[in-house]
Amino acid sequence: MRTQHRIATGMAIVLMLVAAACGDDGDDGTVTESGQRPEETTAPADDDGGGTFPVTVSADNGEVTIESRPEAIVSISPTGTEMLFAIGAGDQVVAVDEYSYYPEEAPVTDLSGFQPNVEAIASYEPDLVVLSTDPGDVADGLERIGIPAIHLDSAEDLDDTYRQLELLGVATGNVGSAAEVVSQMQTEIDEIVATIPDDLAERTYFHELDSQLYSVSSDTFIGRVYALLGLRSIGDEAPDDAGNYPQLSEEFVLDADPDFIFLADAQCCDQSPETVAARPGWDTLTAVEEGRVIVVDEDAASRWGPRIVDFLREVADEVLATADAG
Amino acid sequence: MSEQPTRVTVEAIVRADAPVAPEASRLRRSWLVVGLGALAAAFAVSVSLGPAGLPLGGVVTEMVSALPGVDVGEGLSDRHAAILWQMRLPRIVLGALVGGTLALAGAAYQGVFRNPLADPYLLGVAAGAGLGATLAIAYGPDTTSWPVDALPIFAFVGAVLGVALAWGVGHTASSAQSVATLILAGVAIASFLTAIQTYVQQRESETLREVYGWILGRLSTSGWHEVLLVLPYVVVSTIVILLHRRLLDVLSVGDDEAGSLGVRTTLVRLVVIGAATFGTAAVVAVSGLIGFVGIVVPHVVRMVAGSSYRIVLPLSLMLGAAFLVATDLVARTVFSPAELPIGVITAFFGAPFFALVLRTSRRFGL
């Protein structure tokens, strides 16, 4: 479906005074537009936390200069979309790619983030474009027609996530709320990690990306998140040549007998604790016998945005709930 | 077509012309032993080695105990026994079925087309199966409750339809041009199906890794399920092709000559291509596109054992099976515990060999 062009009329509302209402009740970690105060008409954003323009940020495609506060952002990165909405830039977003269906109010279009098309993006007349993969020099193409584009590669660790959130805050004029989001994330993560007793550390897990038994090593973003809880991927046994997302052999998974199996392929590939238990031979696994096959939200697990906190909480709860069984 | 002489006449002609020495039957027996030996060796090594370090003694004990009427106790823990019986063995057996079928079908195609570089994917099996698999991955029904996955069914149907299309487009009654026309039709159909496949894959980008993984080929099994799925096709296809081994020798002298000997070349071609296609489609449906086995193995066989199809076909079957079992052992162990796609390994060894054959193919009396 196509969204209507939302043409920004007048100056937009500056949200820095509004605490980013990060859902700390686990429903979602995004700021909704309820944070706006319509009566607050506006002076042009100056340095009161909304940021100053023109501004230059240093993204993965080099230095990008944004002349004025963007009012028509196109995001063709699902993670970028989640970040933009979390830092209160949601009302500046006019179009997002087909997989940016979170949060719900994101203006999903049929733009492809997988094969971004400069012309299709330009048709939304954006004044800022956010992308996470750039297979075809899209950022350059946009630059040539005068549209600033920020390329933010997938994060390798949480610090990258915080850096990207802050960068988007600067680029969109939401510096204050971006800082809020980051500090809130850090606080919540510390709280979650503190709930895990030390004797639970050094447990192993098998994170299943798909039914072909692709998994992750601890050197991935998600692996580092698991590591916060003291969990270690059995994928680490694979040699470096196999990459950070090794396809593990079935024999090995059975032999390694991980303490936890996290299914990140429940929605995409219809896997469930039942289907895992039904695989020939898998019923001998401790994790299967003791009910430690856990379905995780595969979007939250594959993006590096604010929802990683919810993912961490979900995993921590499961780890604690099943701790006695171990 | 001339009237058909009796089978005996044809056989007599073949015997007289066959490029097989008089002691052929003894030769055949010795090659049979070589083939079986290679297969047994590949099996023994593969069953003993794997990412899960099963104790060798335990494996031997388990295997011996499995023999009917022998019981020397259980050699392995329950989990290790599950690894052996539900993972390692089915995978080895599947590897043997896939490798044997691809090599046999490759040899059969080479005979039918009198072209040393024909392989079982020539007529659109691969492209058709690829399209079927991609459609199943992208739009397939949820089959978790079904007894069988959608993917192998889609891939199989796609493969068979691909070849049927190529046959329909390229089949000509005139024997002089039939082979070339058929190959060209296969190329055209394959390109067309691949275009659709690529379009779907790009459109449904979330399926990319799964499609890509399937195209690279894999021998992942879920127990004995896949083995039982392909076994009937493989058995029927193997028997039909082996029954035509003499006729393929006759075909090798050329269509007109074979026709004048009373061989109904078009019918033979249709039956052999059909059998090879069904076998190939079945194994491709469960293993993806494992390349080069269908070309490399028959050529090795020809180099060592001569070009008579009476030897080439059964020996290709056995050596193809042994080759793929051995290759899969490499795939399972070289990056252990990670998997290396088996198609990568067959191509790694097969591609240079293929180039070599290309350079020297005129040396072979085909």
Side-chain angles (χ1 to χ4, degrees), chain B residues 102-251:
Chain B
L102 288 177
L104 180 71
Y109 264 73
Q110 286 155 24
V112 165
F113 290 112
R114 292 200 312 282
N115 183 326
L117 302 176
D119 85 348
Y121 299 153
L122 186 72
L123 288 189
V125 167
L131 176 58
T134 305
L135 289 174
I137 291 167
Y139 311 115
D142 170 16
T143 53
T144 37
S145 54
W146 295 18
V148 56
D149 249 4
L151 198 156
I153 300 172
F154 276 57
F156 179 80
V157 171
V160 172
L161 285 180
V163 176
L165 267 176
W167 179 270
V169 171
H171 166 62
T172 56
S174 91
S175 58
Q177 294 173 356
S178 60
V179 171
T181 319
L182 199 51
I183 292 178
L184 278 174
V187 170
I189 295 295
S191 306
F192 178 68
L193 296 177
T194 305
I196 302 175
Q197 187 263 324
T198 311
Y199 168 77
V200 173
Q201 159 188 313
Q202 300 300 82
R203 213 186 125 65
E204 308 294 327
S205 51
E206 76 279 11
T207 66
L208 198 61
R209 185 177 53 197
E210 208 179 332
V211 171
Y212 188 63
W214 185 86
I215 286 175
L216 280 177
R218 57 171 199 266
L219 286 177
S220 58
T221 55
S222 47
W224 294 95
H225 180 84
E226 283 84 359
V227 172
L228 296 175
L229 205 61
V230 298
L231 198 59
Y233 297 97
V234 167
V235 168
V236 171
S237 145
T238 301
I239 289 174
V240 171
I241 293 175
L242 288 178
L243 284 177
H244 283 76
R245 61 194 184 281
R246 292 176 194 283
L247 288 172
L248 283 174
D249 275 339
V250 180
L251 269 192

Side-chain angles (χ1 to χ4, degrees), chain A residues 14-57:
Chain A
V14 179
L15 288 170
M16 74 257 68
L17 300 174
V18 182
C22 268
D24 54 353
D25 49 359
D27 57 352
D28 69 38
T30 55
V31 179
T32 57
E33 295 182 354
S34 62
Q36 288 185 35
R37 299 188 181 171
E39 71 274 11
E40 199 181 80
T41 48
T42 107
D46 45 31
D47 58 354
D48 57 357
T52 49
F53 291 92
V55 68
T56 300
V57 294

Side-chain angles (χ1 to χ4, degrees), chain B residues 315-334:
Chain B
L315 198 54
S316 293
L317 178 73
M318 287 185 286
L319 288 184
F323 174 70
L324 207 64
V325 170
T327 311
D328 190 47
L329 177 67
V330 176
R332 286 186 295 142
T333 52
V334 69

